[in-house]
Amino acid sequence: MPPISDSRKRILVTGGAGFLGSHLIDRLLEQGHEVICVDNLFSSTKRNIDHLHSNPRFEFMRHDVCFPLYVEVDEIYNLACPASPIHYQHDPIQTLKTSVHGAINMLGLAKRLKCKILQASTSEVYGDPSVHPQTEEYWGNVNPIGPRSCYDEGKRAAETLFFDYHRQHDLPIKVARIFNTYGPRMHRQDGRVVSNFIVQALLNQPITIYGDGTQSRSFCYVDDLVEGFIRLMATDASVVGPINIGNTREFTILELANMVIEITRSRSELVWMPLPGDDPRQRQPDVSKAREILHWEPTVAAHDGLARTVGYFREMLAGEIRAL
């Protein structure tokens, strides 16, 4: 195979048909790269990548990362894993396998190719944090046997594997810890608070708030998240992470519900449900490292990002909205 020039790389994105992966692939293709999208479509959909099939630099491969993969690439973004509680709790053993076996297989591929590999980790490695905001040095407060443990501990184990491959094999790794991210192409039934609230509001259904609504989150728009990924991958070998990628603006779940009602002009009422087990009370990143090392910080305001996301769901639900 002829070598690929510095200006054009062949890049593998696992989980590429998912919400985050498909946006990342859009950006990589816009930059002129060739992209291999690998996904088993367990929690993702081909709809997210339908617009890419006519692009000669895009290739889709249906594959489960729990099994070895043999391709020739210059960089790997490992995003493969169901990320919403509804999806990852549906088959918790498979979720853990995807994080651990998937990491082993992708790290093995990167070791053979001697290429950079980025792990899409998560703020869930911090669990229900006793430190606020969360810095990368915080080791977390995670329940190892709870209903969310398949995801939380799977991602923690994947980080361990990445750093052991780095120390033992001098592999050029990058680890990004993603905080709550939202935007177009979210699954309408993924159980996440932003998509739940928007779908319920557009259909004038009761908006479900778990707990008392005072638990807080910070939400990062997907374009900002993708920019952070690309900047982290572009750093030299001395930068490995982990690096928090997220928005520092924190607001309560009740404030989010009211913002969605305002943007959608919904007639929905609020209803209250018990808080799920192990649901963290607070989640906000310290992004000092991202600012200092990547010269990155979020630029999309919450109201603007939510308005774009509402527009996506309004188009998706057009038939149901007209029937109201």
Side-chain angles (χ1 to χ4, degrees), residues 167-223:
R167 285 185 286 258
Q168 188 169 337
H169 301 296
D170 199 27
L171 189 68
I173 67 164
K174 312 289 177 182
V175 176
R177 289 179 178 165
I178 304 169
F179 282 69
N180 296 69
T181 305
Y182 70 99
R185 301 180 198 158
M186 295 184 79
H187 196 294
R188 64 173 290 183
Q189 294 176 324
D190 66 5
R192 299 190 213 190
V193 65
V194 172
S195 51
N196 274 0
F197 285 1
I198 290 176
V199 170
Q200 290 168 341
L202 288 172
L203 299 179
N204 290 315
Q205 297 172 345
I207 290 181
T208 307
I209 295 181
Y210 293 92
D212 59 10
T214 60
Q215 65 270 35
S216 62
R217 296 290 186 274
S218 55
F219 297 93
C220 183
Y221 189 66
V222 62
D223 288 358

Side-chain angles (χ1 to χ4, degrees), residues 20 121-124 126 129 133-136 176-182 192 218-221 225 243-247 282-287:
L20 295 181
S121 191
T122 172
S123 61
E124 297 294 340
Y126 299 122
Q134 293 81 58
T135 67
E136 292 86 349
R177 289 179 178 165
I178 304 169
F179 282 69
N180 296 69
T181 305
Y182 70 99
R192 299 190 213 190
S218 55
F219 297 93
C220 183
Y221 189 66
L225 186 282
I243 292 185
N244 291 335
I245 305 291
N247 198 309
Q282 286 183 308
R283 187 63 63 70
Q284 181 190 13
D286 182 317
V287 297

Side-chain angles (χ1 to χ4, degrees), residues 66 72 112 151 162 170 212 255 289 296:
C66 289
E72 304 296 321
R112 178 176 70 83
Y151 184 70
F162 266 69
D170 199 27
D212 59 10
E255 288 173 328
K289 285 189 176 180
W296 173 93

Side-chain angles (χ1 to χ4, degrees), residues 88-296:
Y88 66 64
Q89 290 173 355
H90 173 72
D91 190 343
I93 295 172
Q94 186 61 35
T95 295
L96 190 58
K97 284 182 177 179
T98 301
S99 286
V100 175
H101 292 189
I104 291 170
N105 287 325
M106 291 306 107
L107 286 163
L109 177 62
K111 176 174 173 279
R112 178 176 70 83
L113 298 173
K114 298 180 174 61
C115 73
K116 289 183 185 178
I117 178 169
L118 183 147
Q119 167 69 358
S121 191
T122 172
S123 61
E124 297 294 340
V125 301
Y126 299 122
D128 188 3
S130 56
V131 171
H132 190 78
Q134 293 81 58
T135 67
E136 292 86 349
E137 289 73 27
Y138 176 52
W139 289 357
N141 177 35
V142 177
N143 178 357
I145 58 172
R148 302 168 69 105
S149 303
C150 60
Y151 184 70
D152 301 1
E153 296 288 33
K155 288 291 191 176
R156 286 165 69 93
E159 286 197 15
T160 300
L161 285 162
F162 266 69
F163 277 87
D164 284 339
Y165 266 78
H166 173 63
R167 285 185 286 258
Q168 188 169 337
H169 301 296
D170 199 27
L171 189 68
I173 67 164
K174 312 289 177 182
V175 176
R177 289 179 178 165
I178 304 169
F179 282 69
N180 296 69
T181 305
Y182 70 99
R185 301 180 198 158
M186 295 184 79
H187 196 294
R188 64 173 290 183
Q189 294 176 324
D190 66 5
R192 299 190 213 190
V193 65
V194 172
S195 51
N196 274 0
F197 285 1
I198 290 176
V199 170
Q200 290 168 341
L202 288 172
L203 299 179
N204 290 315
Q205 297 172 345
I207 290 181
T208 307
I209 295 181
Y210 293 92
D212 59 10
T214 60
Q215 65 270 35
S216 62
R217 296 290 186 274
S218 55
F219 297 93
C220 183
Y221 189 66
V222 62
D223 288 358
D224 286 332
L225 186 282
V226 167
E227 179 66 23
F229 272 9
I230 290 173
R231 291 192 184 201
L232 178 55
M233 183 64 95
T235 56
D236 63 35
S238 67
V239 178
V240 298
I243 292 185
N244 291 335
I245 305 291
N247 198 309
T248 56
R249 187 203 165 182
E250 183 182 12
F251 43 90
T252 67
I253 298 303
L254 183 57
E255 288 173 328
L256 174 66
N258 288 325
M259 194 182 308
V260 169
I261 289 173
E262 174 200 343
I263 293 170
T264 58
R265 300 181 180 179
S266 175
R267 301 189 301 274
S268 295
E269 298 181 352
L270 304 181
V271 297
W272 313 87
M273 300 289 287
L275 193 67
D278 294 337
D279 194 59
R281 295 290 307 176
Q282 286 183 308
R283 187 63 63 70
Q284 181 190 13
D286 182 317
V287 297
S288 301
K289 285 189 176 180
R291 288 194 181 105
E292 177 186 351
I293 298 170
L294 309 182
H295 307 293
W296 173 93

